[in-house]
Each structure stands twice: as structure tokens, then as C-alpha cells.
Amino acid sequence: MVTSSAHEQDQGMPLGDLDPSRPMIVSAWGRKGSGKSVFNRRLYQSYPFDKVAIDVNGNAEPGDDAEQLTGPVPDAFPAAPARNGRRVTRNLHYRADPGSDTYVDDLDRAVGLGLYPQDRPAAVWAGEVGEFMPTAAKIGPHMRRLLMQNRHYRTTAFFDGPRPVNVSPLVLAQSDLVAVFQLPNPDDRERIAKTIGYPADRFHAECHETWGRGPHWFLLWVTAENQLYRMAPLPV
Ligand SMILES: Nc1ncnc2c1ncn2[C@@H]1O[C@H](COP(=O)(O)OP(=O)(O)OP(=O)(O)O)[C@@H](O)[C@H]1O
Ligand SMILES: [Mg+2]
């Protein structure tokens, strides 16, 4: 059980720069406009290998180097050819069409771009994680594989979601980093506290202390350290 209180982290991320060669799962939770996309965008843009932003609402802004992926989603990441014997990476931007009959399937196929080829590191940014699992129990095969086995596929994933209780518990349970922006419903905070093994009453108090500091403050749970950080807003 955790005994210490949240560490104050006034500038930048804890752990210095994250090691991008270590696959990880990141989830950011919070109500509309709380800052979760700003957080994941920053991690996504600094990820140096192949990556795909799966954009369901057109707000991803995956970076100036992003290339639109149009047409059917391929079975594996369409890697750029090596140049002068050196690996060239790509940043793909996939805009799924919510009006399509195959929408949920399309999203799951796009997750596969982060898995295959298996030996190549890649990142997937799944903004609005709830779109990928219409109910907590209904997860597509690629998403399930990612959540269960991301390390074997060298896959990093960034998830945004408004409410952890509405998606599969696997998302939180498998997260190496959990960013907690404003979550007004106590059930959501409770779910996070239980999953990370933090006393629920203290977690509620840490949340209120953090959000009381001002807009876009958040808590960051680092699973490997078993540590909760109180984070000042990231510079935009
Ligand atoms: N660290 C920050 N400092 C200053 N402004 C911020 C910060 N984070 C977010 N904002 C502001 O809040 C707006 C909304 O943030 P963001 O897009 O990250 O919200 P969100 O949680 O992803 O919301 P949604 O559920 O609508 O996608 C941003 O456009 C930005 O103007
Ligand atoms: Mg967002």
C-alpha cells in the first residue's frame, strides 16, 4: 500500500525524458477541455519512431510531419523505405469516419498498425478510447492484443478518455502512466484509486488539492515507481 503523499512536480515531467525505446501504455482521463489531449499530444509528438494518430473527432493535431492515411487500413504499418541504410520513420494521421458501417472495425484495424510488423517499435494514439470499445466488454482483437501484450510488439499507446468507468478495466490496469485531469464523478476517481492501489479517500483529497490549484493541473501516477505526482500545467 502507498503511504506517501503526491510529490510536487512544478516543471516538466517526472523521470526526466521518458525512454521511448521502452514500450508503454499511457492513459489520460478528464472531462472535456481538462487537458488530456494536450498531454498526450506532447508525448506523441516527442515519440521518435513510427507512429499513428487515430483521430475520431478531428482534434488530434499529430504534428506538422504527419501524413494523412487514406483508403483501407493496411494490415501492417506501411514503413518508409530505408534511406542510405538508415531507418526512416513516419507519422501517420488516420481520420476514421464515424458514419461508416465499418467504423469500429476500422478503428481496430488502425490499432494493428502499431502492432505489426511485430519487431518494429511504433506508437498508437487512440484519442477518445471509448470509441474503440463501445462497451467495456467489447474490445476488438487488435486492441485486446495491444492491451495484453504491448511489450511483445514493442508498441506504445496513448489513450484519452472522459470516464474510466465506461471503458474496459484493462486500459487502466495496463497503464504505465495514468494522468488524472478533472474528473467530477467520484466513481471514476474510485476506479483509478482501486486500480493503482491508492487509498480512495486520500486519492479524492489529492485530486481536489490538485484541481484547486487552477485549470489544467493534474495528477500523474507512475506505475514503475508506485508514485503519485502533482503536476503543474504543461507548457502549451
Ligand atoms: N497545460 C495547459 N496550459 C494552458 N492551456 C491548456 C493546457 N492544457 C489545455 N489547455 C487549453 O485547454 C484546451 C483544451 O485542452 P485539451 O484539448 O487537452 O482538452 P481535452 O481534455 O482533450 O478535452 P476534450 O475531451 O474536449 O478532447 C486547449 O485547447 C488549451 O487551450
Ligand atoms: Mg481531447
Side-chain angles (χ1 to χ4, degrees), residues 87-106:
R87 180 176 281 198
V88 178
T89 62
R90 295 178 90 178
N91 176 9
L92 298 180
H93 184 191
Y94 177 62
R95 293 278 317 261
D97 173 11
S100 159
D101 291 342
T102 56
Y103 175 59
V104 177
D105 207 45
D106 294 343

Side-chain angles (χ1 to χ4, degrees), residues 68-125:
Q68 294 292 328
L69 178 67
T70 50
V73 178
D75 289 334
F77 195 95
R83 222 180 279 142
N84 302 325
R86 297 182 65 175
R87 180 176 281 198
V88 178
T89 62
R90 295 178 90 178
N91 176 9
L92 298 180
H93 184 191
Y94 177 62
R95 293 278 317 261
D97 173 11
S100 159
D101 291 342
T102 56
Y103 175 59
V104 177
D105 207 45
D106 294 343
L107 291 178
D108 194 64
R109 288 175 60 82
V111 169
L113 299 177
L115 296 169
Y116 306 107
Q118 185 169 355
D119 60 349
R120 215 175 140 102
V124 176
W125 180 10

Side-chain angles (χ1 to χ4, degrees), residues 33 36-38 41 57 59 128 160:
K36 51 198 185 291
S37 293
V38 166
R41 187 175 297 121
N57 54 21
N59 294 337
E128 305 298 338
D160 306 8

Side-chain angles (χ1 to χ4, degrees), residues 16-96:
D17 288 324
L18 298 167
D19 175 2
S21 63
R22 270 192 42 224
M24 38 170 213
I25 293 182
V26 178
S27 60
W29 309 96
R31 70 177 179 200
K32 215 170 153 45
S34 57
K36 51 198 185 291
S37 293
V38 166
F39 174 80
N40 273 335
R41 187 175 297 121
R42 172 169 160 159
L43 295 183
Y44 180 84
Q45 291 187 346
S46 67
Y47 182 83
F49 307 120
D50 285 336
K51 53 191 174 182
V52 56
I54 309 174
D55 195 358
V56 300
N57 54 21
N59 294 337
E61 296 177 34
D64 294 338
D65 60 333
E67 304 168 62
Q68 294 292 328
L69 178 67
T70 50
V73 178
D75 289 334
F77 195 95
R83 222 180 279 142
N84 302 325
R86 297 182 65 175
R87 180 176 281 198
V88 178
T89 62
R90 295 178 90 178
N91 176 9
L92 298 180
H93 184 191
Y94 177 62
R95 293 278 317 261

